[in-house]
Amino acid sequence: MLNESRRLKITLALAAALAAGTAGLALAADGELTVFDWAGYEDPGFHPAYVEKNGDSPTFSFFGDEDEAFEKLRAGFRADLAHPCSQNTLKWRDAGLLQPLDTSRIEAWDDILPGLKAMPNLMTDAEGNAWFLPFDWGNTLVTYRTDKVEEAEIQSLKAFADPKFEGRVSLPDNVDDAYALAALATGHTDWTKMTDADWDAASAFLREVHKNVRIYWLDNTELSQAMAGGEVDLAWAWNETATTLAADDVPVAMKRDTDEGLSTWVCGYVHLKDAPGSTDKAYDFLNSILTPEVASYLVNDWGYGHSNAKGMAEIDPEVLDATGYGDLDAFVDKTLFSSPLPPETKAKLIAEFERIKAGY
């Protein structure tokens, strides 16, 4: 189970990243490989084989969200590998930020879950070139303090805008996750089919929710501290939050069966164009994150699914069923999947979300 020492390490890493500028080198270790990542994924439990072979973890640099990471990379920030998610990989590829993956060097490439392989324009393009190695998959969903919120009160996602929760709500400071909530709450499970009027309705919903927001969280550590300390009772959060808090005996749970559903995403690693470090070590890292022991750690300690079918098959079926990862088809069905949006739509949402957070 997760313990406070790991959470403290993540907190210190994030603080270091912020002190140096979000894209500063937060954890300098093996200087021949730099991974541009979300705070927390520097955990050696995700790449034990890399450490065993190379004597240390890679150097990690952190971003707050993928739009920030995209802009920093376009401005010239250099790293070897990065960790975007399904809704942004195509955008990064089309911007010329990536180089194809050599799948012959990825030992478990053929072991990736069939459901992930089947997702169009995710791992490969129409010509068969490989660009994206799935690693983690999960949800953004209702997360709540069971001692302060009755489950019946949050059967609908519209509860986030209910005045009874004024000052008790937290949303991600992330336009993709925020608008996934808004799309679902206004009746949409496929945001690629939403019209301008639909997006306007989603923005109107977020304006109502804003009246209740205590904090817009940047990372799981910030949200976990706010929920553990009683500052936040209701959140739109990743699986990790409830998993880690429950391990520390904080009364927090996820609710998967709201009337409108939940959001689903897949994240993974890409090889950046003009990567300055060691190509051999880049593939050492990619191979290390796909081992069965990492699958077990990711599911049990972080609450996320792992992309390696063989690794997932070794996990106790009762654990998989309890966490919702026993059936990928069912997991993805009846959710809003974080698919890529047209660049002009995404730009509009980014600007609108900033206005909403500012109270306009």
Side-chain angles (χ1 to χ4, degrees), residues 259-275:
D259 293 339
E260 300 87 356
L262 69 172
S263 173
T264 299
W265 44 261
V266 178
C267 300
Y269 287 89
V270 293
H271 200 183
L272 296 171
K273 187 178 180 181
D274 300 323

Side-chain angles (χ1 to χ4, degrees), residues 78-317:
R78 299 183 71 194
D80 300 295
L81 301 171
H83 191 175
C85 299
S86 48
Q87 67 272 25
N88 288 299
T89 304
L90 183 61
K91 173 183 173 182
W92 288 32
R93 191 180 85 201
D94 288 349
L97 297 178
L98 311 183
Q99 61 175 294
L101 295 168
D102 181 353
T103 60
S104 70
R105 303 189 66 176
I106 300 174
E107 297 165 2
W109 179 261
D110 292 336
D111 299 330
I112 301 299
L113 286 161
L116 299 183
K117 287 182 181 178
M119 291 179 181
N121 228 355
L122 182 65
M123 292 174 64
T124 58
D125 60 24
E127 288 73 41
N129 299 304
W131 300 92
F132 177 79
L133 179 64
F135 172 57
D136 51 331
W137 48 284
N139 303 116
T140 312
L141 73 173
V142 173
T143 304
Y144 66 106
R145 288 277 308 221
T146 58
D147 57 337
K148 296 184 178 182
V149 177
E150 295 291 335
E151 187 175 1
E153 296 180 291
I154 53 173
Q155 185 58 41
S156 170
L157 296 180
K158 293 181 174 63
F160 280 95
D162 191 324
K164 76 171 67 173
F165 294 114
E166 182 179 358
R168 301 165 61 192
V169 165
S170 183
L171 296 188
D173 194 359
N174 178 311
V175 67
D176 296 315
D177 282 327
Y179 272 96
L181 167 63
L184 286 163
T186 53
H188 303 278
T189 55
D190 186 348
W191 64 9
T192 66
K193 297 180 180 178
M194 290 173 65
T195 65
D196 286 345
D198 294 333
W199 286 118
D200 289 344
S203 294
F205 175 76
L206 288 178
R207 284 189 166 84
E208 290 302 307
V209 176
H210 176 76
K211 299 174 184 178
N212 291 343
V213 170
R214 177 77 175 214
I215 61 168
Y216 287 95
W217 60 268
L218 286 167
D219 69 284
N220 178 64
T221 299
E222 179 182 20
L223 177 59
S224 294
Q225 290 173 342
M227 296 198 80
E231 187 178 359
V232 167
D233 298 334
L234 178 63
W236 185 241
W238 303 327
N239 311 74
E240 178 185 353
T241 302
T243 301
T244 57
L245 286 175
D248 290 331
D249 297 322
V250 179
V252 171
M254 295 174 277
K255 183 168 177 61
R256 298 179 177 276
D257 61 345
T258 61
D259 293 339
E260 300 87 356
L262 69 172
S263 173
T264 299
W265 44 261
V266 178
C267 300
Y269 287 89
V270 293
H271 200 183
L272 296 171
K273 187 178 180 181
D274 300 323
S278 167
T279 298
D280 288 342
K281 289 189 175 183
Y283 283 97
D284 285 345
F285 180 85
L286 296 178
N287 284 313
S288 72
I289 64 173
L290 292 183
T291 62
E293 66 180 305
V294 173
S296 177
Y297 183 53
L298 186 63
V299 172
N300 285 289
D301 286 67
W302 285 66
Y304 298 139
H306 191 261
S307 64
N308 188 330
K310 290 183 177 179
M312 293 292 283
E314 293 184 9
I315 299 172
D316 185 339

